[in-house]
Amino acid sequence: ARHVFLAGNDLPQRLATALHFTIAETGFGTGLNFLALLALLDDGAVSHHGACQIDYISVEARPLPAAVMAQSHQAFPALAKHSRDLVAALPPYWPGLHRCDFYNGRVRLHLIYGDAADALANADFAADAWFLDGFTPAKNPQLWTSDLLKSVGRLTRAGGSFATFTAARSVRQGLIDAGFDVEK
């Protein structure tokens, strides 16, 4: 999470100079990427995070139970405090948009429970950075369709970035078609 998503989007440097920053994610899963962001804000790498408003928008079709999330976080003891805060703030598993505030509202987690293609096709925001974290196209093809990637492109602010573990040729081409410069 730190290497691919935070460093891959150059977040330590970008957050240090931003007044507002929007991160969008496909696949919240265990919330580990969100916890890594909170840890980044704590570790001093982002010197003025108190002045930067962060909106973290994540779409999840199959939310995990809080107990499963908490158990998965046990492998990362340095994230224990953030894990407790996240698990305590999780909304009910009702479809739609839910908001949870952290750092007295300076970090706003917007969880969208539902299908990513539908949610993003109807969304209206401008992401500065994307965490495209939907496993591989072979395991989760619905998160890598050309229509979904075009929505990602449409919802990205000029100069925005993305990072992903996936290096599949079809994904690279879909991102290029959506207007991104792609490099490995």
Side-chain angles (χ1 to χ4, degrees):
R2 285 190 303 261
H3 175 73
V4 171
F5 296 113
L6 302 182
N9 279 296
D10 198 23
L11 291 191
Q13 291 74 22
R14 292 171 74 194
L15 290 173
T17 59
L19 294 178
H20 181 262
F21 201 86
T22 300
I23 298 166
E25 175 182 53
T26 54
F28 191 69
T30 64
L32 188 58
N33 296 331
F34 182 71
L35 296 179
L37 172 70
L38 296 180
L40 174 71
L41 298 177
D42 278 352
D43 76 5
V46 180
S47 60
H48 87 290
H49 80 270
C52 182
Q53 174 69 56
I54 299 172
D55 284 292
Y56 190 105
I57 302 164
S58 188
V59 182
E60 178 57 58
R62 293 178 290 283
L64 293 173
V68 171
M69 289 177 90
Q71 184 178 18
S72 72
H73 299 163
Q74 289 177 358
F76 307 97
L79 300 176
K81 177 197 176 304
H82 296 304
S83 171
R84 283 189 302 277
D85 293 345
L86 174 61
V87 169
L90 287 172
Y93 300 130
W94 300 333
L97 174 63
H98 308 273
R99 188 172 122 183
C100 309
D101 291 343
F102 298 83
Y103 290 105
N104 296 315
R106 290 217 168 112
V107 177
R108 298 181 297 214
L109 172 61
H110 307 264
L111 286 172
I112 304 169
Y113 291 157
D115 178 74
D118 292 340
L120 296 180
N122 297 307
D124 183 19
F125 61 83
D128 296 290
W130 283 88
F131 298 172
L132 300 177
D133 192 16
F135 296 107
T136 67
K139 290 187 178 192
N140 206 355
Q142 64 272 22
L143 285 181
W144 303 105
T145 67
S146 63
D147 285 344
L148 186 135
L149 295 176
K150 285 177 185 171
S151 290
V152 168
R154 177 183 62 80
L155 295 169
T156 304
R157 187 179 321 278
S161 63
F162 75 91
T164 181
F165 283 106
T166 301
R169 173 184 246 184
S170 62
V171 171
R172 288 194 314 267
Q173 188 59 53
L175 289 164
I176 291 167
D177 293 346
F180 289 98
D181 292 328
V182 178
E183 60 184 60
K184 197 170 174 183

